[in-house]
Amino acid sequence: MLRNALGKTFRFLGYTVQYGCIAHCAFEYLGGIVVCSGPSMEPTIQSSDIVFSENLSRHFYCIRKGDIVIVKSPNDPKSNICKRVIGLEGDKVCTSNPSDFLKSHSYVPKGHVWLEGDNLRNSTDSRCYGPVPYGLIRGRICLKIWPLNDFGFLRASPNGHRFLDD
């Protein structure tokens, strides 16, 4: 009887470890559900919207200008941030705030991206902490799940004028 109970316990632990590994790989490499908070991506993403983030793009270096990404915060590595990619390595970007009279520009260094929130007046982004290493990107948001009346693919940036062509 004890042998039978131990056998069932070890089988249960084995299945738990197997499914735990599968779940970890799925969330790490395929994607997952993310609840967004904060006003920096308004009006595209509101606080408490639920989105799906896929992680394959970052592994295959398929992140493009205009994509919305989940990134480890350069200021606080324990938290993630949600921002839009404005520039990739080598791109010329506007580094000043929209309200600044004189505009300043810079080039994104190799291995980095330039990130900005859609709500330029209420966003802490690359204009504050500079270019972000590509390795901090966790995933690309491709679909809004909640609220249901807003379900679907995300719309283009309301700040399209911030994308510079050089």
Side-chain angles (χ1 to χ4, degrees):
M1 187 154 133
L2 180 61
R3 182 180 228 175
N4 190 20
L6 282 174
K8 286 183 179 183
T9 301
F10 283 123
R11 273 195 301 279
F12 175 75
L13 287 174
Y15 287 130
T16 302
V17 169
Q18 286 177 341
Y19 291 121
C21 290
I22 291 169
H24 167 75
C25 289
F27 289 128
E28 181 66 25
Y29 297 104
L30 297 179
I33 307 294
V34 178
V35 178
C36 298
S37 64
S40 73
M41 285 304 293
E42 290 177 357
T44 309
I45 298 173
Q46 305 289 328
S47 192
S48 74
D49 280 359
I50 299 173
V51 296
F52 177 76
S53 171
E54 62 85 13
N55 299 348
L56 290 174
S57 293
R58 74 179 171 112
H59 294 296
F60 294 114
Y61 296 93
C62 296
I63 302 295
R64 299 179 311 214
K65 279 198 272 188
D67 286 346
I68 299 174
V69 292
I70 302 291
V71 180
K72 282 282 182 202
S73 172
N75 295 336
D76 178 14
K78 293 179 183 175
S79 66
N80 292 322
I81 57 174
C82 176
K83 303 292 179 198
R84 189 178 298 271
V85 176
I86 300 299
L88 302 169
E89 64 180 50
D91 287 343
K92 183 178 180 181
V93 291
C94 180
T95 58
S96 55
N97 289 313
S99 58
D100 293 348
F101 181 71
L102 294 174
K103 303 295 180 199
S104 58
H105 297 85
S106 182
Y107 288 93
V108 180
K110 185 175 175 76
H112 290 71
V113 293
W114 189 267
L115 304 175
E116 292 181 4
D118 285 355
N119 185 354
L120 292 174
R121 299 198 189 288
N122 196 3
S123 178
T124 303
D125 49 36
S126 287
R127 294 171 294 151
C128 299
Y129 43 72
V132 176
Y134 192 92
L136 292 182
I137 296 175
R138 305 299 305 147
R140 180 179 66 90
I141 295 178
C142 55
L143 187 69
K144 189 185 288 191
I145 298 171
W146 189 263
L148 284 178
N149 63 338
D150 225 2
F151 180 87
F153 296 103
L154 297 170
R155 60 179 173 258
S157 173
N159 304 311
H161 64 281
R162 301 274 299 170
F163 295 89
L164 298 176
D165 293 322
D166 194 38

